[in-house]
Amino acid sequence: MTTTQQPGGTPLPADERLARELLDGLAEAVLTTDGTGRVTLVNAMAAELIPEIDAGTELAGCSVAALARAVANGADRFDADHHGRRLRGVRRQLAGSRWAWYVRDVTEEHARADALLAERSRTAFLAQAGSRLALALHRDQVLLATTTLAVPYLADVAVALPRPAAPAEPHPRWIRYADSEPAPVTGLAGPALTSSVPGLAEALAGDRAEPGPWPDVPLTDVADLLPPEFGPPGTVLVSPLLSASGSAGALLLIRRFGRAGFDRRDVELAREFAARAGAALATADLHGEQAHLARVLQTSLLPPELPVVPGVSLAGGYRAAGDTLRIGGDFYEVFPHSRGALFALGDVCGKGVGAAVLTGRVRQSLQTLRLVEQRPLELIRLLNQALFDAPDAARRNQFTTLLLGSLDRGPAGLDLRIAGGGHPAPLLVTADGTVTPVPVGGMPVGALTAARFAETRVHLDPGDLLLAYTDGVTEARGPRDAAMFGEARLRAALAAAAGQPPAVLIDRVLSAVDDWLGGQAHDDIAMLAVGAST
């Protein structure tokens, strides 16, 4: 037995048999070359991974192209796909101009890395899709986002077929987006479409069909669903657009010939995306229904056109809040009678449908009760009783502030009786520009069964005006420091418009409030100006 010397001075055995056993036990392939570049040693793993290379092979001309190039170029590493495996090699110099190549099978590492990257990509796609779909509050926006998001990540062509929004629509409309088209295209689905496209009827019913080709579908039957010159599709996946109430439609994902089909992860991702799109579509439909209801209610709650009352000059002003879905709130009414008129101006507590319902109830109750009672104080008491007699009175927590008055024509001007229900005091504007509050007092209507209300009287000479307003005027906040418009500015605007007709006075106040707001959002605003005709 011969020995060699190691750095510490301890001799190492030079046993070729032991060295071979050690090399063959390595998980790495090992190739060594002499000074001419020919292979001198091949261990067992090298024989398994690279069977084409054996002792005596010239590496610069071997059949592993990436390795041959690395040797020829003097590179110290290479990566290659060989016999379905991914190989990675590094070179180390040995004594006497010899070299050793260490080659590892990194196929599993690559597969894990690719799977991680793919999962990250899927997660990013779903996150982006969720953000886009969450911002789409209208049906068309959801369909547009659904088709454009799916291309090209999931398919080359995406077609969304939502269920008709109204029962009167006999056939669904579709929207298509393709990577070869500059913008989405829409169309009307024919009556034979659901029977022509495999899996479409099932998807519209909420069932999930497996992806597959369309080998038996004539292109003429689905020509409208495909871009011009697209040709026969490759793989097609049809998924339902599911919502809580069932299928809201179907999504067709179409890939060209030559592109890989839908694997299991693709199918799962596509169905998750379709489910999110279906939920967004259902949300958009619900939002549309609520918006329509809000518009209908808002229209019904807008103050009516003021009647003509002999001897009385009237003008009203109304501004809805900036939020288009906010309904209810402020209102005014004028009911003529033989001696003059009854008038009311109120501000319902709360927002939304609940406030709208109470506003409608108050106005309808006033319409009915004024037929049996026209004295303001007695009428406001009857209204309070009527609100508490409603079936759901015990379940609600809403009330309204209210001014309720009567106008009686006199020989020189108007005599007013005003009952108060916790509302801001109206302002008397005389012809000389004096602005004086008319204290009324009282408690909000509908707040307490034993509420106390107050009444006051005021006389309007020709040229005088009485302005009743809601707190949306004085509480309007400007863009700087969020300061409120306030009663002082309101009085100044009224004083500047003294002697003008009621309509001019209302316009002046609204203009002053608009200037103060500077485009900021505001609460509902209602005003009613009353004067004696000259």
Side-chain angles (χ1 to χ4, degrees):
M1 173 188 243
T2 61
T3 61
T4 59
Q5 201 75 15
Q6 64 176 347
T10 304
L12 287 174
D15 189 333
E16 293 184 4
R17 188 174 182 179
L18 176 60
R20 167 59 67 176
E21 289 179 359
L22 292 174
L23 288 172
D24 288 344
L26 295 176
E28 283 185 316
V30 180
L31 303 171
T32 62
T33 62
D34 60 16
T36 65
R38 293 185 178 278
V39 176
T40 58
L41 181 145
V42 177
N43 76 340
M45 183 55 69
E48 179 181 340
L49 292 180
I50 320 172
E52 300 89 344
I53 300 177
D54 52 17
T57 300
E58 186 178 352
L59 279 188
C62 72
S63 59
V64 182
L67 174 56
R69 284 195 301 272
V71 173
N73 297 329
D76 290 330
R77 63 182 61 246
F78 76 91
D79 284 279
D81 290 316
H82 192 64
H83 295 312
R85 310 299 293 177
R86 183 75 174 179
L87 304 181
R88 176 170 296 161
V90 294
R91 186 179 70 160
R92 296 287 183 269
Q93 189 170 12
L94 304 177
S97 299
R98 293 175 299 169
W99 296 90
W101 281 95
Y102 301 92
V103 182
R104 290 191 303 118
D105 183 351
V106 294
T107 305
E108 300 302 326
E109 293 179 21
H110 264 264
R112 288 193 294 269
D114 290 344
L116 179 60
L117 290 176
E119 190 60 35
R120 287 178 177 174
S121 177
R122 293 185 182 99
T123 301
F125 170 76
L126 285 177
Q128 179 190 14
S131 299
R132 282 272 306 275
L133 292 170
L135 295 174
L137 293 180
H138 300 285
R139 187 180 180 87
D140 290 343
Q141 292 177 345
V142 173
L143 296 173
L144 181 65
T146 299
T147 52
T148 54
L149 281 167
V151 176
Y153 190 83
L154 292 175
D156 300 304
V157 178
V159 182
L161 292 98
R163 284 187 173 277
E169 298 180 22
H171 305 297
R173 300 191 65 85
W174 52 259
I175 177 170
R176 178 190 74 217
Y177 184 65
D179 57 1
S180 59
E181 295 179 314
V185 178
T186 60
L188 185 64
L193 182 63
T194 54
S195 59
S196 301
V197 177
L200 180 56
E202 292 80 2
L204 290 173
D207 296 334
R208 300 182 178 185
E210 291 299 322
W214 282 348
D216 301 324
V217 179
L219 287 180
T220 54
D221 291 346
V222 294
D224 289 340
L225 295 182
L226 299 174
E229 302 179 359
F230 185 82
T235 311
V236 179
L237 177 63
V238 183
S239 289
L241 297 171
L242 293 176
S243 66
S245 58
S247 177
L251 177 65
L252 279 68
L253 300 175
I254 307 166
R255 292 185 176 180
R256 299 176 184 273
F257 269 120
R259 181 171 176 175
F262 295 92
D263 60 22
R264 181 185 60 83
R265 294 293 295 151
D266 290 338
V267 173
E268 292 176 357
L269 178 63
R271 285 177 175 165
E272 174 66 22
F273 171 68
R276 296 192 181 196
L281 190 59
T283 301
D285 287 343
L286 179 60
H287 178 271
E289 293 174 4
Q290 292 177 336
H292 175 69
L293 175 61
R295 287 192 296 269
V296 171
L297 288 174
Q298 185 73 57
T299 300
S300 68
L301 294 171
L302 289 175
E305 183 177 348
L306 292 175
V308 176
V309 181
V312 180
S313 180
L314 296 167
Y318 181 80
R319 291 282 176 83
D323 184 353
T324 57
L325 289 182
R326 182 185 182 277
I327 54 180
D330 302 356
F331 66 93
Y332 60 77
E333 293 277 2
V334 176
F335 309 110
H337 56 66
S338 58
R339 302 179 311 279
L342 285 171
F343 70 89
L345 182 136
D347 183 357
V348 166
C349 172
K351 298 180 180 180
V353 176
V357 171
L358 183 58
T359 300
R361 182 180 299 163
V362 170
R363 294 175 67 179
Q364 187 62 41
S365 298
L366 285 174
Q367 285 274 8
T368 304
L369 294 174
R370 57 106 181 179
L371 299 177
V372 297
E373 180 58 73
Q374 296 184 354
R375 295 171 297 176
L377 186 58
E378 286 73 12
L379 182 54
I380 202 170
R381 288 171 178 163
L382 286 176
L383 176 62
N384 190 70
Q385 174 90 33
L387 293 181
F388 274 96
D389 286 344
D392 63 342
R395 298 191 300 272
R396 63 181 173 82
N397 186 26
Q398 291 183 314
F399 56 86
T400 180
T401 62
L402 185 67
L403 289 176
L404 187 58
S406 66
L407 304 169
D408 291 319
R409 295 185 299 273
L414 296 176
D415 293 316
L416 278 65
R417 296 172 60 186
I418 307 172
H423 199 80
L427 298 175
L428 174 62
V429 185
T430 60
D432 62 1
T434 302
V435 181
T436 308
V438 180
V440 182
M443 302 173 68
V445 181
L448 297 171
T449 55
R452 295 190 300 274
F453 306 104
E455 185 181 83
T456 191
R457 295 172 182 259
V458 64
H459 178 78
L460 298 183
D461 290 322
D464 294 345
L465 292 174
L466 183 80
L467 177 72
Y469 62 93
T470 59
D471 58 12
V473 176
T474 53
E475 294 182 2
R477 296 184 180 273
R480 291 180 298 181
D481 303 326
M484 292 192 295
F485 185 71
E487 190 172 327
R489 292 184 179 85
L490 175 58
R491 291 189 184 188
L494 294 175
Q500 299 293 328
V504 175
L505 181 140
I506 293 290
D507 288 343
R508 294 279 181 88
V509 173
L510 286 175
S511 178
V513 172
D514 286 342
D515 291 342
W516 180 254
L517 286 168
Q520 299 293 305
H522 60 86
D523 198 357
D524 285 343
I525 292 173
M527 292 183 288
L528 182 65
V530 179
S533 298
T534 55

